[in-house]
Amino acid sequence: MIPTINTERLILRPMLESDFEEYCEYGLDPQVMKYIRPVESKDAVKEMFVGFQKDWVGEEGAWQALAVALKDSGKLIGDVGFRYKSKENLQIEIGYKFHTEAHGKGYGSESMDALVKHINDYWDFHKLVAYCDPRNTASYKLMQRYGMTQEGLFKEHFKYGDDWQDELAYGVLKSTLKIPE
């Protein structure tokens, strides 16, 4: 079941088919995607987006994506998600991306605080992990908020367009996870 989570300013909810155009506003934005993956065609994004709308029951490798919308206007400003990276090893990976207009306003922290609390309360895991480009300081600072520490630096770990990108690996054990109030 896909949850709906309310925070002070935000609603984290299932992605709706009607969200697609607003999703494209940031999902096709080179500035938003510069550390995630090359901007794809709208058709390729649509294929991925449709996958966000299915029921999720914790299958390994499949992302549970939640739309992040402003409570006062309902405008979609980003998405957060998680997946079992390894069910056998009880590792859950988290991820997030936000519209450039939402940057610097605390929406990432607010939505991820709620998501991390939800994961902690409802999902079986031993370790929470996340990955980012080393140049994406906002991303790894958000990871550190939960007690995640850098566990690895993978040099030229994946190809982004024609260039090789480094990737940081962060992790925290459930026993030392920090959940902000």
Side-chain angles (χ1 to χ4, degrees):
M1 184 172 121
I2 302 173
T4 296
I5 304 168
N6 287 286
T7 70
E8 183 179 334
R9 302 177 295 166
L10 306 170
I11 299 172
L12 283 64
R13 58 163 175 76
M15 241 351 144
L16 306 172
E17 189 175 334
S18 60
D19 290 327
F20 182 66
E21 291 303 322
E22 282 187 304
Y23 177 84
C24 286
E25 288 178 22
Y26 67 92
L28 291 172
D29 182 342
Q31 184 67 21
V32 171
M33 301 303 291
K34 73 180 176 182
Y35 298 128
I36 300 172
R37 65 181 163 276
V39 173
E40 301 175 277
S41 71
K42 197 168 185 177
D43 288 340
V45 170
K46 178 73 171 183
E47 189 174 313
M48 179 186 62
F49 181 82
V50 168
F52 293 160
Q53 296 165 44
K54 65 181 175 66
D55 280 338
W56 189 79
V57 292
E59 62 270 28
E60 184 173 295
W63 282 96
Q64 167 60 74
L66 294 172
V68 178
L70 296 173
K71 262 188 183 177
D72 60 359
S73 67
K75 177 158 178 56
L76 183 68
I77 61 164
D79 58 88
V80 297
F82 64 103
R83 68 176 174 174
Y84 273 108
K85 183 170 178 58
S86 169
K87 278 196 101 161
E88 178 182 355
N89 296 305
L90 296 176
Q91 295 175 2
I92 290 182
E93 180 180 356
I94 56 173
Y96 35 84
K97 65 182 173 296
F98 290 90
H99 196 294
T100 54
E101 292 175 4
H103 291 182
K105 297 179 180 174
Y107 296 135
S109 297
E110 187 174 333
S111 59
M112 287 305 296
D113 287 359
L115 182 66
V116 168
K117 182 175 182 349
H118 173 80
I119 293 167
N120 188 64
D121 291 349
Y122 296 101
W123 293 95
D124 189 22
F125 73 100
H126 174 70
K127 186 174 189 177
L128 204 60
V129 298
Y131 302 88
C132 74
D133 185 296
R135 297 169 294 173
N136 193 348
T137 55
S139 186
Y140 66 73
K141 284 182 180 181
L142 186 54
M143 295 173 200
Q144 292 168 348
R145 179 176 175 88
Y146 308 107
M148 297 177 112
T149 58
Q150 183 181 325
E151 295 184 341
L153 168 60
F154 303 107
K155 301 297 284 178
E156 297 185 9
H157 193 61
F158 65 94
K159 205 156 187 187
Y160 184 96
D162 294 331
D163 300 317
W164 287 100
Q165 301 244 144
D166 295 347
E167 187 169 55
L168 293 174
Y170 273 73
V172 63
L173 299 177
K174 183 173 185 172
S175 61
T176 58
L177 178 65
K178 294 178 185 171
I179 303 173
E181 297 293 322

